[in-house]
Amino acid sequence: MTVVLYPGSFDPVHYGHVEIVQTAAGLFDHVIVAAMRNPSKSDPFLTLEEREQVLNETFAELDNVSVTMFSSLVVDLAQELEADFIVKGLRAVSDFEPEMQMAQMNLSISGVHTLFLPAASAHSFLASRLIREIARFGGDISSMVPEPALRILREKNAS
Ligand code: ADP
């Protein structure tokens, strides 16, 4: 049984992430989507608990996908959950360099390999940072994020 860990901020989850999870769920026996508390992002849009809830609703129909949250090192979580690989999505060449460095660092400290999945071109422009900006100004993000994320973003904007 091959278990993979897909870590990210998911603030908010968008269709680029969804596509990576669907692809990984078709390739591997079990996918664990892990939302991280990112110390370098001091002002998260959604709380970690909100992100976990949105991820759970988004992937509720995929039997071999589970969701967790963490604030430790990704490799420590991978070892704790006995994940075989870390999975990351690549949008463009610009993603490659930092992700490659991270993958090599993680391999050297833990022996856990990272597998890269390419984004489909239809989703390669999606980034949570840009979606947050559009949402903050009330722009239409309905084609970019799944329904559970849309709902919570609308609730937050309304309050
Ligand atoms: P973002 O970069 O959108 O803020 P995260 O930091 O949560 O999202 O990213 C988590 C993982 O998802 C990373 O491996 C990232 O490269 C990947 N990812 C982000 N956006 C996309 C996309 N549009 N298509 C495929 N993978 C993506």
Side-chain angles (χ1 to χ4, degrees):
M1 167 143 159
T2 307
V3 177
V4 297
L5 177 66
Y6 179 42
S9 306
F10 306 115
D11 188 23
V13 64
H14 56 62
Y15 283 127
H17 300 131
V18 171
E19 179 206 334
I20 297 293
V21 173
Q22 287 171 337
T23 304
L27 291 170
F28 306 106
D29 298 303
H30 192 80
V31 181
I32 303 166
V33 181
M36 70 177 138
R37 194 183 301 279
N38 190 339
S40 65
K41 293 182 187 168
S42 57
D43 182 23
F45 196 52
L46 300 177
T47 67
L48 195 56
E49 291 70 22
E50 286 169 336
R51 284 180 267 153
E52 189 191 30
Q53 183 197 327
V54 168
L55 288 167
N56 268 318
E57 289 177 31
T58 301
F59 300 117
E61 275 158 33
L62 289 175
D63 290 344
N64 63 338
V65 174
S66 57
V67 172
T68 189
M69 46 186 185
F70 71 110
S71 35
S72 60
L73 287 176
V74 170
V75 289
D76 287 345
L77 181 70
Q79 283 172 335
E80 185 190 316
L81 298 173
E82 298 185 14
D84 298 285
F85 303 106
I86 295 164
V87 164
K88 289 297 199 80
L90 292 182
R91 283 167 283 206
V93 177
S94 51
D95 274 346
F96 179 78
E97 220 172 309
E99 290 291 359
M100 181 72 173
Q101 188 179 24
M102 182 81 72
Q104 288 170 324
M105 178 67 85
N106 283 340
L107 180 64
S108 83
I109 60 176
S110 70
V112 179
H113 281 274
T114 298
L115 303 178
F116 294 124
L117 293 173
S121 54
H123 296 137
S124 59
F125 64 94
L126 293 178
S128 298
R129 181 179 58 81
L130 298 177
I131 292 171
R132 284 197 297 275
E133 269 177 44
I134 298 169
R136 277 198 174 109
F137 288 100
D140 182 9
I141 53 162
S142 57
S143 62
M144 303 175 199
V145 302
E147 185 56 35
L150 201 56
R151 215 178 316 122
I152 201 160
L153 293 175
R154 281 187 180 141
E155 279 167 24
K156 288 202 111 160
N157 270 356
S159 60

